Amino acid sequence: MSEQGPHPLVGRQRRMILALRVSLALAATLALGGLLLPGETGRALAWGFVGLVIAAPVVRTGWLALRWWRRGDPRFALVAVGVLGVVALAAVLSW
Amino acid sequence: MSLDPPILLAVAAVAATLGTVGGFGGAVLLVPLLVATGTDPLVAAPVGLVTVGAGALAAAPGQLAAGVVHHRLGLTIEIPASLAALAAAAWSVNAPGDTLRYVLAAIVLAAGVAGFTRPIPRNQPQPEFVAEPPAEWPGTLGGTYAGPGGPVPYRARRLPGGLAGMVVAGAITGLAGVGGGFVKTPVMREVMWIPIKVAAATATFSVALTTSIALIVYAGQGRIDPESAVAAGLGGLVGGVLGARIQQRLDPTGLRRLLGVLLLGVAVVLVVTR
């Protein structure tokens, strides 16, 4: 395996790392705003923070499903879609 | 329903710092402390889960950059975990009397005992894998981990046993509002023979998803108070970063044992105080 070098499908996921860093900075900003600002604005920012915490891993999973599907790994793309299905089921049952 | 935000922020930050250093997650300490001091377990659970989600978000970029997250494994184990979390979160509002308190005490006890276990290295460095990048192998539940002695190839073993353990982890998250990482990591390590750092990082990714699902259910039940959530979440972010820095400078074995004793004490307090 080593003689062939790194597998062409193996990436270091730079875009995902960047997206996660941006999400983290946004989460910290929303949390500070939600904590410090009074009234409805603060409450809206706080809900935004909770929404971001919930959405970040879900979006990451969708990203992976697309990535694996495009790169010829349909089995694990379907596993990712299965997890998204459970998320959707939770949302449907909750509302 | 609101907890005092400044106090909650401080307690969450301390719990997240200790939880990160000890490797069991901040909510394992935060939720029992809140319940022991009089907070309804149904209110404490979503607060704990927001800290878990925030901590996982804080840890994610660094873990991805280090190539220690196995996404395929994380999502494979997540299907039973998230189904269990969904069912447990939906049922938790109907849990009778002190059930949640005793479940929490059992969870804290298990996390405390886990602090005294010593991991056995299952995979050995293989010098012939020197050109292999530290990453998961596409299409498989295997990969390579950059260990201190050289590249360590691994693959997940005993998948059915591992998946059964994830049902327990997911149920704990949905029921009690603590991250299931302290179950997922040992199961991956001891049952599936995944290297400890890969298991811990993969569990963080997986726990974030389990947390999202349980929080969606809690939101539907009207159990999330945004003011408490944001204070605890910010504390979780701060504590996660602080804990990661402290962890790098101190002896993890001694600390885990010390925190194990602390958790055992919290379990006793949970059972004794009503």
Side-chain angles (χ1 to χ4, degrees), chain A residues 55-81:
Chain A
V58 178
V59 172
R60 184 172 167 186
T61 302
W63 184 326
L64 289 166
L66 272 175
R67 178 191 179 96
W68 292 338
W69 185 263
R70 286 178 181 162
R71 297 191 178 194
D73 193 354
R75 190 165 53 136
F76 283 99
L78 286 174
V79 171
V81 170

Side-chain angles (χ1 to χ4, degrees), chain A residues 18-33:
Chain A
L18 180 64
L20 284 166
R21 284 191 177 136
V22 170
S23 301
L24 179 58
L26 185 60
T29 308
L30 287 170
L32 272 175

Side-chain angles (χ1 to χ4, degrees), chain A residues 1-2 9-10 12-13 16-17 20 24 31 35 43 47 49 53-54 57 60-61 64 68 73 75-76 83 86 90 94, chain B residues 9 53 58 60 64-65 71-72 75-76 79 82 128 131-132 135 138-139 141 205 208-209 212 216-217 220 226 230 237:
Chain A
M1 195 169 288
S2 62
L9 294 181
V10 173
R12 295 306 298 269
Q13 298 158 326
M16 189 181 282
I17 293 169
L20 284 166
L24 179 58
L35 200 64
R43 199 171 169 81
W47 272 117
F49 169 75
V53 167
I54 291 173
R60 184 172 167 186
T61 302
L64 289 166
W68 292 338
D73 193 354
R75 190 165 53 136
F76 283 99
V83 172
V86 181
S94 298
Chain B
L9 193 154
L64 261 184
H71 282 121
R72 288 172 179 82
L75 289 174
T76 302
I79 289 182
S82 56
E128 61 268 30
E132 194 69 25
L141 292 179
F205 166 56
L209 270 164
S212 294
I216 288 171
V217 177
V230 86
L237 285 176

Side-chain angles (χ1 to χ4, degrees), chain A residues 13 60, chain B residues 60 63-64 66-71 135-136 154 198 201-202 205:
Chain A
Q13 298 158 326
R60 184 172 167 186
Chain B
Q63 291 175 335
L64 261 184
V68 286
V69 182
H70 200 303
H71 282 121
E136 58 190 286
Y154 63 89
V198 177
T202 303
F205 166 56

Side-chain angles (χ1 to χ4, degrees), chain B residues 76-77 80-81 84 158-171 183 187 191-192:
Chain B
T76 302
I77 62 171
R158 292 182 287 277
L159 190 60
L163 295 182
M166 300 309 158
V167 172
V168 176
V183 174
V187 166
V191 178
M192 304 174 82

